[in-house]
Amino acid sequence: MGLNWRYLAHEVRPEYLREALAGARRMNYIGLNLTVPHKVLAMDLVDVLDETAETWGAVNTVQFEGRDAKGQWRPLRDYEDAPAETRSRGFNTDADAIPRAIREDLALDLNGSKVLLLGAGGAGRTAALRLAAEGVRELWMVNRTTPKAAAIGEEIRNRYPQTNCHLGYPTGNVDLVINATSLGLAAGDCLPFEEREFPLDRAGAAFDMIYRPVETPFLRLARVCGRPAANGLAMLLYQGAKAFEIWTGQPALIGRMREALEANIYG
Ligand code: ATR
């Protein structure tokens, strides 16, 4: 797109996130993405929260802004030379990517559906709230640390009363099982759920937020059970495309981004 920009990866320890954000701002970065384990932490570290970050309770995209001569805050991309006064604004582009990926990869309409969600960390929480906002009718949540799932259940009961939240495994069938735990990232990881509590043939489809490895044990089992299954590649794509649009103010070239991602991950 003719942008003389680069996207760089930096590994930052959570205790230094505040300094890293200040450093990026002082170096006049246009923006940045945050991933595990920074997304919830960053809620308190950015200067302003966009409505998306407030709604979903996590920041995965930051845009830096500068104050112009009239006192207006504008994205740094608008300036030839960055102004003295700058600040960070936190966005969430993950949440909307979840239903979009599920709709496109699994042809599933979440409105009125029954879903089993595995995991109640940062990703699990965003997914649970977004699923409820999408109109999921019955939502079961399973997490190693049950109180974390219970707290999310409570939040959903307050914010999205049309969704019935349950802790633990469903006894009947569900339309979809989602893995939002980190189990499956490392070789030799076990399944993110207890098969004797929930045989996977009770699920209509399986979605794993993990995209590397391409097929986790969870997705392999879904394939063996003959269930439609999708990994987190489309979710990664759509959250990245939205972040790109925030930074550039231009529509993302989704097709080109998908090609580059697929070449990187499958190639
Ligand atoms: P993320 O931002 O990717 O969600 P996270 O907040 O650290 O990262 O959440 C990781 C999720 O994977 C949590 O649901 C976690 O369960 P706990 O809440 O009990 O920690 C889950 N998880 C990680 N390792 C696990 C393991 N060995 N067994 C079961 N669940 C695990």
Side-chain angles (χ1 to χ4, degrees):
M1 292 176 71
L3 296 164
N4 186 16
W5 291 14
R6 294 208 183 173
Y7 189 80
L8 306 168
H10 303 289
E11 198 153 42
V12 175
R13 297 172 68 91
E15 58 270 36
Y16 300 138
L17 181 60
R18 182 187 298 276
E19 288 169 60
L21 286 170
R25 181 168 67 84
R26 281 300 178 211
M27 288 189 288
N28 299 322
Y29 272 44
I30 295 287
L32 48 87
N33 282 129
L34 300 168
T35 187
V36 182
H38 301 303
K39 294 180 187 178
V40 178
L41 201 58
M43 288 286 289
D44 293 327
L45 300 180
V46 292
D47 300 314
V48 209
L49 288 173
D50 178 70
E51 192 192 320
T52 51
E54 258 171 16
T55 305
W56 309 117
V59 170
N60 77 312
T61 301
V62 172
Q63 170 163 263
F64 293 104
E65 303 172 334
R67 209 206 285 257
D68 66 17
K70 292 189 190 132
Q72 301 290 314
W73 291 98
R74 290 194 285 123
L76 279 198
R77 67 163 184 267
D78 287 357
Y79 295 88
E80 194 85 15
D81 292 310
E85 212 182 331
T86 53
R87 70 177 187 186
S88 56
R89 179 186 291 274
F91 296 76
N92 185 300
T93 70
D94 282 330
D96 287 352
I98 298 169
R100 184 166 178 193
I102 290 170
R103 200 163 42 239
E104 291 189 11
D105 281 351
L106 297 170
L108 210 138
D109 183 6
L110 288 166
N111 191 11
S113 68
K114 299 180 186 179
V115 177
L116 166 60
L117 176 65
L118 309 165
R125 181 170 175 276
T126 302
L129 293 171
R130 192 64 187 83
L131 292 170
E134 204 66 19
V136 165
R137 186 158 50 84
E138 306 288 335
L139 178 64
W140 286 267
M141 284 187 291
V142 169
N143 194 47
R144 176 178 59 180
T145 315
T146 308
K148 281 163 78 175
I152 298 169
E154 200 46 47
E155 197 176 343
I156 289 177
R157 266 185 284 280
N158 290 330
R159 284 173 61 180
Y160 304 100
Q162 83 284 359
T163 298
N164 298 313
C165 260
H166 318 272
L167 288 183
Y169 292 96
T171 48
N173 292 349
V174 294
D175 300 299
L176 176 68
V177 183
I178 300 176
N179 178 37
T181 76
S182 44
L183 285 172
L185 274 176
D189 271 357
C190 60
L191 284 170
F193 66 103
E194 297 285 347
E195 263 193 285
R196 57 175 201 288
E197 299 275 0
F198 185 81
L200 201 53
D201 56 13
R202 280 207 216 137
F207 183 82
D208 202 323
M209 291 197 182
I210 296 171
Y211 55 87
R212 202 182 338 237
V214 166
E215 190 180 68
T216 57
F218 169 59
L219 292 182
R220 193 170 315 127
L221 182 62
R223 180 163 55 80
V224 169
C225 292
R227 294 298 183 265
N231 69 13
L233 193 94
M235 191 184 149
L236 175 72
L237 170 69
Y238 293 130
Q239 64 76 32
K242 184 70 207 167
F244 183 90
E245 290 175 351
I246 289 168
W247 297 323
T248 62
Q250 298 178 51
L253 302 177
I254 300 266
R256 295 290 294 276
M257 286 180 77
R258 188 191 292 275
E259 275 168 33
L261 257 184
E262 286 178 353
N264 185 281
I265 286 168
Y266 299 120

